[in-house]
Amino acid sequence: MNGYGSRPLDGGPGDTSFEQELVSALNDFANNSPAPHFDATGIQRRARRKRAGLIAGVAAAVAVAGGGTALAAITTGSPNTSSATAASSTDATTVMISGKKIDMTGWDSGSAKAALVQVGLKLGTVTEKAVPNCKPTSVLGVSPHSPHSVSPGDTVNLTICSRSSVPDTDATTVMISGKKIDMTGWDSGSAKAALVQVGLKLGTVTEKAVPNCKPTSVLGVSPHSPHSVSPGDTINLTICTR
């Protein structure tokens, strides 16, 4: 028995009435239907539009994600942001009152006291502290200080540079016949030569250990100003130890 695939499709004598009708219908469809038309240009154009739309969508998603990250960075702050808000080195001399900072670095005590009164604060204790090379009576610290805040009526204490920090040049100054010879910073050789030049005699030379002094530099003379000496008198020197 033959399968359908081996039978002729031309309406031959061996076909049944049903098969003949089916063959005829297929032949009519094949002969009368127009050939399929593929708009290659249109398909390509639509494909490009779809691809462009997909790329735009991805770009938008990336932009949203990036914007969210930037917003999070601005909101939460980076580790460096926290360090920027850390206490500054001038806080020790800064009064914070009602959120406003008054930096008194380099101020003299009189100006600092006046400023405290002006903003409604009370002056507490004033402590003098000897600090090398500080300006006498200049503000070294306030208490309480920033970032601690105070309110009008509160008391603020001051620490100022000691008045004794004023260089005592008299200790290194020879006064002869009303004329002063300041030997501050001189080396011992220059000091000895100057004494001889004005007719004075060199007495004892004592070495003294003083932090950060220049070796052999003059630390003192005796007698010194304001005591006056005359030619022929003897002057003793104290110098920085070698």
Side-chain angles (χ1 to χ4, degrees):
M1 181 175 178
N2 294 330
Y4 289 116
S6 62
R7 294 179 182 177
L9 298 177
D10 56 358
D15 294 334
T16 65
S17 175
F18 174 77
E19 290 174 334
Q20 288 176 352
E21 292 177 1
L22 179 60
V23 170
S24 296
L26 291 174
N27 287 335
D28 290 340
F29 179 82
N31 292 331
N32 297 326
S33 298
H37 173 70
F38 296 95
D39 185 3
T41 303
I43 293 173
Q44 188 177 25
R45 189 181 301 113
R46 286 192 294 272
R48 287 176 179 172
R49 283 199 298 266
K50 289 181 180 179
R51 185 164 58 251
L54 178 61
I55 293 173
V58 172
V62 171
V64 170
T69 303
L71 180 59
I74 294 172
T75 304
T76 60
S78 63
N80 291 335
T81 304
S82 60
S83 63
T85 58
S88 68
S89 58
T90 61
D91 277 350
T93 53
T94 299
V95 175
M96 180 179 282
I97 176 170
S98 303
K100 180 180 179 181
K101 287 186 175 183
I102 305 174
D103 184 1
M104 297 183 174
T105 303
W107 289 23
D108 62 83
S109 58
S111 299
K113 294 172 184 176
L116 294 177
V117 173
Q118 188 175 6
V119 295
L121 295 171
K122 297 177 182 178
L123 176 64
T125 60
V126 178
T127 304
E128 293 191 4
K129 183 178 180 181
V131 174
N133 302 318
C134 72
K135 182 180 178 181
T137 79
S138 63
V139 175
L140 300 177
V142 297
S143 177
H145 63 71
S146 177
H148 180 81
S149 184
V150 294
S151 302
D154 289 347
T155 299
V156 174
N157 304 309
L158 295 180
T159 299
I160 64 173
C161 178
S162 173
R163 291 177 176 82
S164 62
S165 297
V166 179
D168 184 11
T169 56
D170 279 352
T172 54
T173 299
V174 175
M175 179 178 283
I176 178 172
S177 304
K179 181 180 179 181
K180 288 185 176 182
I181 306 173
D182 184 1
M183 297 184 176
T184 304
W186 289 23
D187 63 81
S188 58
S190 299
K192 293 173 186 177
L195 294 177
V196 172
Q197 189 175 5
V198 294
L200 295 171
K201 297 177 182 178
L202 177 63
T204 60
V205 178
T206 306
E207 293 190 2
K208 183 178 180 182
V210 174
N212 302 317
C213 71
K214 182 180 178 181
T216 78
S217 61
V218 176
L219 299 177
V221 296
S222 178
H224 63 70
S225 176
H227 181 80
S228 184
V229 294
S230 303
D233 288 347
T234 299
I235 300 292
N236 302 310
L237 295 180
T238 300
I239 64 172
C240 179
T241 184
R242 295 175 177 83

